Amino acid sequence: HEWWFLLPYVVLALLSPFLLYALRAHGSTASHTGWLAAAVVLYLLSDILYRLYAPWIDRCAVLNLADEVAQLFLMFLCGALSRIHHIPSRFAARAESCLGRWTRMVSVLVLLLLCVLRMSVGWVLPNPVFAYLFILLYRVIRPCRPLPFLMAMGRQSTSLWLCHTFFAYYLFSPFVYSFRHPILIYPVLVLLSWVASVPLTRISSAISSRFTI
């Protein structure tokens, strides 16, 4: 179920040279604001249409793919514009100038608040908004030298995400949920997924290296 994004991701990857060229060719702030507004409208439109016509969209592969690409395009554009305009570093510098030595503490508290809001009233923070704010705040609070554990988990993050559902739902669901409490279920699920992800990452790296020029 968590693999839904792979095909729209491929579509955006194939379109990315043309999209990035268009962004750089029309580099004014007004132009980029227009791109962002269009992406927001497209995201909202695709979300509304899916809520209204989900059975018909799911039955048509082309419509389903178009809906998923529209959902991902907003985050793709935010990432591209962030790179072009150096938004994360500028956000961190602005926060530092306004909050001084309280910058990291305030950012941690705001980040925790965002997580609570996302878990309790998710509709207040749609996925793109939450993800982008999370990235900006993490840019402020991240250590100069990330912990080796976090670096190691980051290298496995994609494989962890792609295989965790097999343990949580498809293969070992009774075992995972036999621990009953989320504070125990979560680390068990992460551990099982990590054990599976390490060889998967090595295999995928070996295969992809053969296609790298």
Side-chain angles (χ1 to χ4, degrees), residues 62 122 135 137 148:
V62 175
I135 292 170
L137 290 168

Side-chain angles (χ1 to χ4, degrees), residues 5 13-14 38 50-51 59 65 70 75 82 104 113 137 142 152 189 196 202-203:
F5 65 90
L14 293 173
Y50 188 80
R51 292 174 186 271
R59 283 199 292 265
L65 178 60
M75 286 309 299
S82 293
R104 296 186 70 179
L113 176 62
L137 290 168
R142 69 176 183 178
L189 179 58
R202 290 180 179 176
I203 293 170

Side-chain angles (χ1 to χ4, degrees), residues 169-192:
Y169 302 121
Y170 305 143
L171 298 178
F172 305 111
S173 178
F175 171 73
V176 171
Y177 289 100
S178 68
F179 291 89
R180 301 185 63 179
H181 302 289
I183 198 170
L184 298 176
I185 293 171
Y186 182 75
V188 168
L189 179 58
V190 171
L191 178 61
L192 290 172

Side-chain angles (χ1 to χ4, degrees), residues 3 162-173:
W3 293 19
L162 292 177
C163 72
H164 83 278
T165 311
F166 290 94
F167 296 101
Y169 302 121
Y170 305 143
L171 298 178
F172 305 111
S173 178

Side-chain angles (χ1 to χ4, degrees), residues 67-193:
D67 179 78
E68 291 173 346
V69 170
Q71 289 286 299
L72 291 186
F73 178 65
L74 176 58
M75 286 309 299
F76 172 87
L77 187 65
C78 286
L81 294 178
S82 293
R83 179 70 177 88
I84 292 172
H85 295 285
H86 309 287
I87 293 175
S89 57
R90 292 170 64 182
F91 176 84
R94 184 62 180 270
E96 181 72 29
S97 66
C98 293
L99 300 173
R101 63 191 182 93
W102 301 101
T103 302
R104 296 186 70 179
M105 181 181 294
V106 172
S107 298
V108 169
L109 292 176
V110 173
L111 188 56
L112 290 174
L113 176 62
L114 288 176
C115 291
V116 171
L117 287 174
R118 188 70 183 90
M119 289 185 291
S120 55
V121 282
W123 58 269
V124 173
L125 286 173
N127 286 333
V129 175
F130 174 74
Y132 195 68
L133 291 176
F134 190 103
I135 292 170
L136 291 178
L137 290 168
Y138 178 75
R139 175 65 177 78
V140 176
I141 66 177
R142 69 176 183 178
C144 297
R145 299 181 63 181
L147 297 174
F149 171 77
L150 295 180
M151 295 293 291
M153 294 299 288
R155 286 191 289 270
Q156 304 299 326
S157 58
T158 301
S159 297
L160 280 168
W161 174 257
L162 292 177
C163 72
H164 83 278
T165 311
F166 290 94
F167 296 101
Y169 302 121
Y170 305 143
L171 298 178
F172 305 111
S173 178
F175 171 73
V176 171
Y177 289 100
S178 68
F179 291 89
R180 301 185 63 179
H181 302 289
I183 198 170
L184 298 176
I185 293 171
Y186 182 75
V188 168
L189 179 58
V190 171
L191 178 61
L192 290 172
S193 304

